[in-house]
Amino acid sequence: MKSRYTAAILTLLLLASPIFAADAASAQEMKTSPVLEMRPGTMTVMERFAPIYYADGGETRGSVYYAASSTAPDNIIYTRPSGRLYSFTFHPGVPEKLYYANANQNDIYMVAETGSGWSAESTVFTHRTYVRDIAFAFDQNNNLGLYFSEATRAGGDGTIYRVDGAAATPIYTVKLADVGGFWAGDFSFDYDGNLYLCSGNQVPASIYKVTTGTGAITRIFESRDTSIAGLVYRDGRLYYADWRQNIYRLDLASGTSTLYYTNPARTWISDVGFKERRDAAGSRPMVGTYTRFSTMPTAPMQKVLMPS
């Protein structure tokens, strides 16, 4: 009997304390209220929007735009003196340097952001034919290189090159049989050296992964509704333009694509990128080795022409 009275007195003392009283009320509420069961398939993680940059290949005077939110209006950071701008990339160690190309011309251009504006446009490399897409990446010896693609869409196999001074060194041949019979030249590297290729301005569209070390080619994503144009890798995700007014984010772990940015004022969003330092090991684009190991042929897809 004494132990029962002691327990009752302790209970009254605990409930008299505001802290313990709140805990008791909370416990009682949990007993009477339904409990939400969080499962991997239903849990939603809210993430901060990472400001993204993009180009519109439909403009006769090409610009690079900045989006601070998922529905931000046009915010131009740079406009060319003349000519289209399809693809671009920021220098990963000096993000004030902007490189870009017109997919229907042979040159790669560069401008630099200064305290008083942008420097004059200069040509850093001229290829023998059209330069479709460009990207920076580090090699296995930590040397930074500028890479670009040459492609004829459905007219033949394409090539990715590294700029070596006044010359271009091929590093990978994109066989149309491996990518559904169509490749417009868009590519990207991740932090482990894997290479990503996408179909370009045609529907349906796919993204392929070329695994470093083996060269194995796998189709990792397909869109039956949109094109997949310029793309960039960042922290486990691929961001890509749909050649219309939207940018999507593909989570590589889940294979889920979600709308990331939209702007009805745009015509043909052709490329995307991030302006930030990405020269630290483990968080920078890397070039791998792509000795051909296996292929995964797919049926040819319908061709859609770029504007001239």
Side-chain angles (χ1 to χ4, degrees), residues 14-289:
L14 291 176
L15 291 176
S17 166
I19 296 176
F20 285 104
D23 288 344
S26 176
Q28 182 63 28
E29 182 179 352
M30 290 179 63
K31 291 180 180 180
T32 58
S33 302
V35 177
L36 177 62
E37 183 179 3
M38 302 301 289
R39 297 180 179 178
T42 60
M43 186 179 296
T44 300
V45 179
M46 299 300 293
E47 296 184 78
R48 185 184 300 274
F49 183 91
I52 196 166
Y53 296 77
Y54 62 93
D56 187 336
E59 298 176 315
T60 55
R61 284 186 64 204
S63 296
V64 174
Y65 295 86
Y66 167 80
S69 68
S70 60
T71 57
D74 286 345
N75 188 347
I76 299 174
I77 68 161
Y78 174 76
T79 299
R80 293 192 65 188
S82 65
R84 296 182 186 271
L85 194 161
Y86 282 89
S87 61
F88 71 94
T89 184
F90 292 99
H91 191 291
V94 187
E96 292 78 17
K97 290 184 177 181
L98 171 66
Y99 294 73
Y100 53 87
N102 177 343
N104 293 315
Q105 291 183 348
N106 302 19
D107 298 319
I108 300 175
Y109 303 94
M110 189 272 287
V111 292
E113 192 175 12
T114 68
S116 58
W118 291 92
S119 65
E121 178 181 272
S122 62
T123 303
V124 298
F125 183 77
T126 299
H127 190 43
R128 62 175 180 245
T129 186
Y130 296 159
V131 174
R132 300 299 190 184
D133 194 15
I134 60 175
F136 276 103
F138 291 82
D139 64 17
Q140 302 303 310
N141 296 317
N142 297 320
N143 297 314
L144 178 64
L146 178 60
Y147 297 80
F148 70 92
S149 63
E150 166 190 314
T152 58
R153 302 178 180 88
D157 296 340
T159 307
I160 297 175
Y161 295 88
R162 181 183 63 245
V163 175
D164 290 324
T169 302
I171 68 156
Y172 185 73
T173 298
V174 180
K175 294 185 177 297
L176 293 187
D178 294 335
V179 291
F182 190 100
W183 185 58
D186 297 303
F187 69 97
S188 182
F189 302 102
D190 68 15
Y191 305 156
D192 297 317
N194 300 304
L195 172 65
Y196 297 89
L197 311 168
C198 64
S199 303
N201 55 324
Q202 54 104 44
V203 179
S206 299
I207 297 177
Y208 299 84
K209 177 182 178 180
V210 186
T211 303
T212 182
T214 68
I217 303 172
T218 308
R219 180 163 61 186
I220 62 171
F221 179 74
E222 182 180 39
S223 172
R224 308 296 299 182
D225 304 314
T226 66
S227 300
I228 301 177
L231 74 169
V232 65
Y233 175 89
R234 185 179 189 269
D235 299 333
R237 301 173 178 88
L238 286 172
Y239 298 76
Y240 64 88
D242 73 346
W243 197 247
R244 291 295 183 267
Q245 293 80 38
N246 306 305
I247 297 171
Y248 290 84
R249 180 175 66 188
L250 174 65
D251 185 283
L252 294 176
S254 66
T256 302
S257 177
T258 56
L259 180 64
Y260 189 73
Y261 172 80
T262 186
N263 188 336
R266 295 294 93 237
T267 303
W268 290 314
I269 297 181
S270 53
D271 200 10
V272 296
F274 292 97
K275 182 183 179 183
E276 56 191 346
R277 289 190 64 93
R278 283 283 169 174
D279 55 356
S283 64
R284 62 190 183 187
M286 296 289 297
V287 175
T289 57

